[in-house]
Amino acid sequence: MADLSTIKEPIQSEFEEFKRHYSSVFVSTDPLTQQILDYVKSSNGKMMRPILVLLIAKSIGIVNERVFNVAASFELLHSGSLIHDDVVDESNLRRGNPSVNCVFDNKLAVLSGDYVISLALQQMSLSGNIANVGILSELSKQLSEGEIMQLESISDASISEETYFEVITRKTASLFSYAAKAAALTAGADAKTIAAFQEYGRIAGLCFQIRDDIFDYFKSDQIGKPTANDLHEGKLTLPAIYSLTHSESDWTEVISSIKNGTATDAQIKSVIDYTISSGGIDYAYATMEKLKRQAIEALPSDIPADLMQALIDYISVIVSRKS
């Protein structure tokens, strides 16, 4: 069965070199800034986006310092945006650890998020291609729009899959999509190949967010956030959207309570229980499987066999991951 280690096999040496490169970026002459940067660096995730960049670049044939700059840029932008997200969401946990705003307060968290995003811009400028800077700028817009749209959707009494996918396309899928695009561009791919990898990245990102949302309906010590965290924040995700919009019962009052932040624990539990029992989780899994097939079909057919398998395994791991 595929896992992160099997995905990284074709890029193992490049990934180790990238990690050294990434670590070297977190440097400041100011002691407090350095303390915050060290804390941010210590809570690195699985680095799914840098792995994607390296896999795509190597499938085209080139992994060099400029590819490392691109990979670092997307991971830095991701990290900076998460710091800001935790301030906006008033979250005290990130990947099972106290969030930056919890440890250092909101003001320092906002400023440190800005600092990390500045490092992302700096890394991208070192990639040697002005088009990559444009890609990162467009991505930043997409991420901000996604967060704004999500806040808008919370205040909207209605729920729909269309709105859900519009939000996650911007706030999650865009990171994977633009990372794939910049990787292919930096490695020297033609326009058709770049578009193919970008589409693969977009779909992988959608799957990543759907899988992340499924976690919210079950207790787990591995996930790093409380169960029903999304519902407590007024966010209704794909499993519940499907179940509630296909229900013969009237959930209007409960939906309104969740969205305005007045839902009781009993109301939230009722949504979770109904979502699970009525097939909402199954529907989300089926949606991911459908998207997974589309992502694999989007891959260029002329890439080396080991990289092709790694990219197939990459999205399989996203769909089946446990944390």
Side-chain angles (χ1 to χ4, degrees):
M1 184 175 178
D3 56 24
L4 270 178
S5 62
T6 59
I7 292 169
K8 290 186 289 190
E9 281 179 6
I11 54 163
Q12 191 58 56
S13 62
E14 292 89 348
F15 185 68
E16 293 302 320
E17 191 174 350
F18 165 75
K19 287 195 296 184
R20 290 189 289 272
H21 173 97
Y22 187 69
S23 181
S24 71
V25 173
F26 288 81
V27 176
S28 172
T29 57
D30 175 68
L32 179 56
T33 303
Q34 186 62 58
Q35 183 183 352
I36 297 171
L37 290 177
D38 288 341
Y39 188 79
V40 173
K41 184 172 64 173
S42 70
S43 60
N44 282 337
K46 300 180 183 67
M47 293 194 170
M48 295 299 289
R49 295 147 202 87
I51 290 171
L52 179 61
V53 169
L54 297 179
L55 286 173
I56 289 174
K58 189 160 186 179
S59 73
I60 297 166
I62 299 174
V63 177
N64 54 23
E65 189 72 15
R66 292 183 175 184
V67 171
F68 292 153
N69 294 139
V70 169
S73 180
F74 284 102
E75 189 68 6
L76 288 162
L77 182 61
H78 176 55
S79 295
S81 67
L82 290 181
I83 295 170
H84 287 165
D85 287 353
D86 288 338
V87 174
V88 172
D89 296 337
E90 299 179 348
S91 298
N92 292 323
L93 279 179
R94 171 60 60 185
R95 295 168 181 153
N97 298 311
S99 57
V100 173
N101 53 301
C102 178
V103 176
F104 296 98
D105 79 33
N106 280 343
K107 291 181 180 179
L108 285 174
V110 170
L111 293 170
S112 62
D114 292 343
Y115 190 95
V116 173
I117 291 171
S118 297
L119 291 177
L121 290 167
Q122 185 180 56
Q123 282 294 297
M124 194 60 92
S125 69
L126 295 172
S127 72
N129 192 327
I130 190 63
N132 279 337
V133 178
I135 289 171
L136 194 72
S137 299
E138 180 59 32
L139 171 58
S140 298
K141 286 169 54 183
Q142 293 278 324
L143 293 174
S144 297
E145 283 180 350
E147 288 297 329
I148 292 169
M149 287 179 66
Q150 186 168 74
L151 291 174
E152 286 179 322
S153 71
I154 291 173
S155 62
D156 186 345
S158 65
I159 57 173
S160 71
E161 283 191 33
E162 181 182 6
T163 299
Y164 170 79
F165 276 104
E166 285 179 355
V167 169
I168 72 169
T169 293
R170 286 171 172 79
K171 68 169 291 186
T172 304
S174 60
L175 256 168
F176 288 82
S177 173
Y178 285 112
K181 180 179 181 179
L185 178 67
T186 304
D190 58 33
K192 182 179 178 181
T193 302
I194 292 172
F197 277 123
Q198 184 173 9
E199 176 65 1
Y200 169 87
R202 182 188 71 84
I203 300 171
L206 293 176
C207 289
F208 190 93
Q209 187 60 58
I210 294 170
R211 184 68 186 98
D212 209 48
D213 291 340
I214 291 172
F215 288 136
D216 202 52
Y217 297 85
F218 301 95
K219 292 181 180 179
S220 173
D221 296 329
Q222 302 176 43
I223 298 168
K225 69 175 183 179
T227 305
N229 188 64
D230 291 336
L231 292 170
H232 281 292
E233 292 179 355
K235 303 171 188 173
L236 286 154
T237 54
L238 185 62
I241 290 170
Y242 173 81
S243 290
L244 299 183
T245 55
H246 288 79
S247 174
E248 294 181 359
S249 302
D250 185 2
W251 289 87
T252 305
E253 183 179 342
V254 175
I255 292 171
S256 177
S257 296
I258 289 172
K259 283 177 169 283
N260 65 31
T262 62
T264 64
D265 289 342
Q267 286 177 315
I268 288 176
K269 184 177 185 303
S270 71
V271 171
I272 292 174
D273 290 346
Y274 183 73
T275 297
I276 294 171
S277 65
S278 63
I281 303 298
D282 294 336
Y283 176 75
Y285 274 117
T287 300
M288 284 194 297
E289 287 297 331
K290 179 181 177 181
L291 288 168
K292 173 184 167 182
R293 291 192 295 271
Q294 293 174 2
I296 293 170
E297 289 171 2
L299 286 169
S301 59
D302 58 348
I303 60 179
D306 60 337
L307 274 304
M308 175 66 81
Q309 188 60 53
L311 286 162
I312 292 171
D313 290 343
Y314 180 89
I315 196 163
S316 297
V317 167
I318 284 177
V319 169
S320 62
R321 65 194 174 96
K322 303 302 181 184
S323 65

